[in-house]
Amino acid sequence: MALWIVGLGLEAQDMTRRAEAILSGGARVVLRTGYCGAADWLKEKGIPFETLDRMYLEQEDFDCLAQALAQAVARMEGEVAYGVLDLRDESVKRLTALRPQARLCPGVPVEGPLSAWAMGPCQCFAASDLGETLIEAGVSTLVREIASPTLASEVKLALMARYPEEQTIYLYQGQGAPQAIALEDLDRQGHYDHRTSAFVPAQRRLDRLERMGFYELERVIRTLRGPQGCPWDRAQTHESLRPYVVEEAWEVCDAIDRGEPLDLCEELGDLLLQVSLHCDIARQYGEFTLDDVTSGICRKMLRRHPHVFGDRRGEDIGILWEEAKRREKGQQSDLDVLRGVAQGLPALMRAQKVLGKAAKAEKALPEAGPGGWKDQEALGDALLALCEAARRQGWNAEMALKAAVDRFIQSCQEEASL
């Protein structure tokens, strides 16, 4: 029960000699779609074949279609030659999972007619996959299999979220030469089928982009800190930027407290700017890059969520999180956990984190004042009054509380050593 999966290309002349030999060798020939040059070649040669075009109307979406195509071909008995326009077809991925022994016959990629434009780095997607794809405008994009006006409209909207609507693109409709059109006209053409492809050249001018992502942010920062950039940005160091990180973080918190989504969006951008500046400084000194930062946090989230990405579903989330943190930081004891609270935090914040962890470890905690306070507002007033008393005495309340936290940790250490 041999199964061949054959890449056909778009036009009859795209087929390789090996593909022609397989299709004419007596196998049951099944084409994903009859909208291809191979179908005309088979008719001319008198070779019987069937298509699965009917299945396009029977499925709810393209994921279901790809799975249904794969299952239909996998069930076929005898020697079968399954022809697709391009071996990157989603149904091929699913079919090879069902029939691992299937043999592949590569063909000319569907971007062949657009190869004059698609030089250098190029993102290539099937139109049906574009909704789940992250597009970078600084890299050329080729979208294949734009099979209908509806799909063309969806592709246009996805591309216009990154590229300017008036940008020139190149549309190939299965025969002849590619046509230069504006991106906004992609869904206004007369004919679409599985051979229709669109090529969008990279857009390097940042001022023409509709939206920008991490790729564009890195370009902006590298330009600012480059030889012809801004003197202020070029002069910054990790140390000189330290106050701005804290300031921007508190402004983010302020926007959250005020319930202003647009302000929050802007403040998060300012905070992200600080992250990007630190990453570029580190890159120039060979310390780390933005990719290292994003990779690190992704790996951390994978480790700390074994109930999502691993095999520990149903276990206590809080316990799993603390276990992961302790492993990462090499914390062997409760005292190590207390020491692990960052000393750079504001004293009140650090005190609360230390005392919270101490409570979990059942350490002796300092007593509240006589009678306590009736509510959180009264506590806030009391803390404010203490800060004012410290100011009058010429004392630094922040440093005083920091020292008290350090003494508390020291007492825990002494208690542990008894």
Side-chain angles (χ1 to χ4, degrees):
M1 293 175 58
L3 170 61
W4 280 98
I5 305 177
V6 184
L8 304 173
L10 296 175
E11 302 184 44
Q13 58 264 35
D14 292 339
M15 288 194 299
T16 64
R17 291 184 179 179
R18 188 182 187 200
E20 292 178 354
I22 294 170
L23 296 179
S24 59
R28 177 183 177 182
V29 178
V30 181
L31 305 183
R32 170 171 172 163
T33 176
Y35 294 98
C36 61
D40 297 330
W41 182 86
L42 290 166
K43 291 175 185 177
E44 182 182 328
K45 297 293 184 181
I47 301 173
F49 68 94
E50 58 192 281
T51 77
L52 300 178
D53 285 315
R54 68 184 185 281
M55 297 184 69
Y56 284 77
L57 301 176
E58 298 171 356
Q59 304 301 321
E60 295 181 0
D61 55 41
F62 287 101
D63 280 339
C64 294
L65 172 62
Q67 188 64 23
L69 290 168
Q71 291 173 341
V73 176
R75 288 194 296 265
M76 295 178 180
E77 299 180 352
E79 187 171 356
V80 177
Y82 175 50
V84 295
L85 300 182
D86 194 299
L87 289 187
R88 290 169 293 187
D89 190 286
E90 181 64 26
S91 68
V92 174
K93 298 177 186 177
R94 303 191 183 209
L95 178 55
T96 52
L98 296 172
R99 296 281 294 272
Q101 304 306 315
R103 302 174 68 183
L104 303 180
C105 174
V108 176
V110 296
E111 58 262 43
L114 292 163
S115 59
W117 288 275
M119 301 296 289
C122 183
Q123 307 163 105
C124 185
F125 314 112
S128 58
D129 295 335
L130 203 59
E132 303 175 358
T133 303
L134 295 175
I135 301 172
E136 292 186 357
V139 179
S140 299
T141 299
L142 188 142
V143 186
R144 64 183 191 273
E145 299 180 52
I146 308 176
S148 68
T150 299
L151 202 51
S153 180
E154 293 175 2
V155 169
K156 181 183 82 169
L157 293 175
L159 293 173
M160 282 173 52
R162 289 292 184 188
Y163 297 95
E165 61 183 26
E166 70 276 6
Q167 172 147 341
T168 298
I169 68 171
Y170 298 91
L171 185 70
Y172 180 74
Q173 294 180 295
Q175 56 187 356
Q179 176 187 4
I181 63 171
L183 173 56
E184 60 186 335
D185 294 329
L186 178 58
D187 58 347
R188 300 169 186 166
Q189 307 306 304
H191 174 76
Y192 303 89
D193 62 34
H194 301 288
R195 296 170 292 180
T196 304
S197 302
F199 174 75
V200 188
Q203 178 53 258
R204 302 293 295 176
R205 284 188 55 180
L206 294 172
D207 60 337
R208 296 195 63 196
L209 297 181
E210 298 297 322
R211 298 177 66 83
M212 305 184 204
F214 275 104
Y215 175 82
E216 288 78 21
L217 176 59
E218 272 200 285
R219 284 184 57 198
V220 169
I221 298 303
R222 290 195 184 191
T223 301
L224 288 174
R225 289 184 46 78
Q228 306 302 317
C230 171
W232 186 91
D233 291 285
R234 292 175 59 192
Q236 297 311 303
T237 64
H238 292 309
E239 292 73 23
S240 69
L241 290 172
R242 186 181 184 279
Y244 300 108
V245 176
V246 176
E247 179 181 334
E248 298 299 352
W250 281 114
E251 289 185 2
V252 168
C253 294
D254 180 61
I256 293 173
D257 293 341
R258 289 185 286 107
E260 295 289 348
L262 294 180
D263 288 351
L264 176 58
C265 178
E266 180 180 353
E267 298 301 343
L268 286 171
D270 291 342
L271 185 58
L272 183 57
L273 170 63
Q274 297 303 312
V275 174
S276 302
L277 285 169
H278 280 285
C279 288
D280 196 63
I281 292 169
R283 177 188 64 83
Q284 291 183 324
Y285 284 96
E287 297 168 343
F288 57 83
T289 66
L290 180 59
D291 281 348
D292 293 323
V293 172
T294 54
S295 297
I297 191 59
C298 286
R299 292 193 187 100
K300 181 184 289 186
M301 290 302 99
L302 293 175
R303 290 194 304 269
R304 293 193 182 183
H305 293 81
H307 55 291
V308 176
F309 301 106
D311 56 1
R312 302 185 65 177
R313 296 180 181 276
E315 297 188 37
D316 186 277
I317 297 174
I319 293 176
L320 291 175
W321 181 271
E322 290 299 328
E323 285 180 359
K325 284 182 65 177
R326 285 199 176 201
R327 284 195 301 270
E328 291 168 10
K329 298 179 181 296
Q331 295 170 342
Q332 303 296 322
S333 66
D334 293 333
L335 187 58
D336 290 334
V337 174
L338 298 185
R339 287 172 173 162
V341 178
Q343 293 190 14
L345 290 174
L348 291 174
M349 184 184 299
R350 182 169 177 242
Q352 191 164 5
K353 290 179 73 72
V354 166
L355 294 173
K357 293 180 182 296
K360 289 182 180 178
E362 298 183 346
K363 298 287 184 181
L365 297 174
E367 295 289 335
W373 299 278
K374 62 180 180 180
D375 54 28
Q376 186 168 307
E377 182 176 348
L379 173 61
D381 291 340
L383 289 172
L384 184 62
L386 285 173
C387 289
E388 172 61 12
R391 184 191 69 81
R392 291 182 179 181
Q393 293 288 336
W395 297 333
N396 187 317
E398 192 74 10
M399 294 302 296
L401 184 54
K402 181 179 184 300
V405 173
D406 290 337
R407 288 197 300 275
F408 173 71
I409 294 176
Q410 179 65 30
S411 69
C412 290
Q413 181 175 4
E414 294 171 354
E415 179 183 334
S417 64
L418 294 178

